[in-house]
Amino acid sequence: MASTDPRFARLHSDPRFKRAPKRERKVKVDRRFATMFTDERFAVGGADKYGRGAKKAQAGGLDRLYELDEEDPAAGSADVGQVSAEARRPAAKASKKKAGKAAAAAAAAAAAAAAPPPPPPA
């Protein structure tokens, strides 16, 4: 039902108010986010007409909003959801933390050595 009010005539022809085509509505995500479509943690829950939480729907609810981008040249042959061995190693993080703490301790010791001694008690 179109409005015949001349004040709103611009709404019918202004491109800002037109809907986007269906093929352009979905947000394209790359293969790194492919598990989003099947993982239970991303299931879209809803509410009934009284506002009570309804059971979670299947994760397929995101298919309406997102689409996998198949033209991702950077994906290579890596499997989706696979993490490299280097990324799984917490030792690299721990060694960086230890190095940071050691550097902070050395800086504190150097600052303490450079400070003048306190005056003797009176």
Side-chain angles (χ1 to χ4, degrees):
M1 179 174 177
S3 173
T4 58
D5 192 340
R7 296 176 296 169
F8 303 111
R10 182 180 304 163
L11 294 175
H12 300 291
S13 60
D14 196 339
R16 293 179 294 176
F17 302 111
K18 291 189 179 188
R19 290 184 58 99
K22 281 190 177 184
R23 67 180 181 272
E24 295 177 12
R25 281 186 206 158
K26 292 185 178 183
V27 176
K28 295 200 188 267
V29 295
D30 61 15
R31 292 184 48 176
R32 294 176 293 165
F33 304 104
T35 57
M36 172 175 77
F37 296 106
T38 57
D39 195 347
E40 182 179 293
R41 294 177 293 171
F42 290 97
V44 179
D48 63 3
K49 64 180 181 178
Y50 301 109
R52 296 181 296 226
K55 292 182 180 178
K56 283 193 173 182
Q58 296 295 326
L62 295 175
D63 291 338
R64 294 180 304 120
L65 305 172
Y66 300 99
E67 180 180 6
L68 275 177
D69 187 13
E70 300 297 332
E71 300 176 14
D72 188 15
S77 63
D79 290 334
V80 174
Q82 297 295 325
V83 179
S84 66
E86 291 86 23
R88 283 184 276 163
R89 287 191 334 201
K93 282 187 176 179
S95 65
K96 285 182 181 178
K97 283 185 180 179
K98 286 180 184 176
K101 286 182 180 179

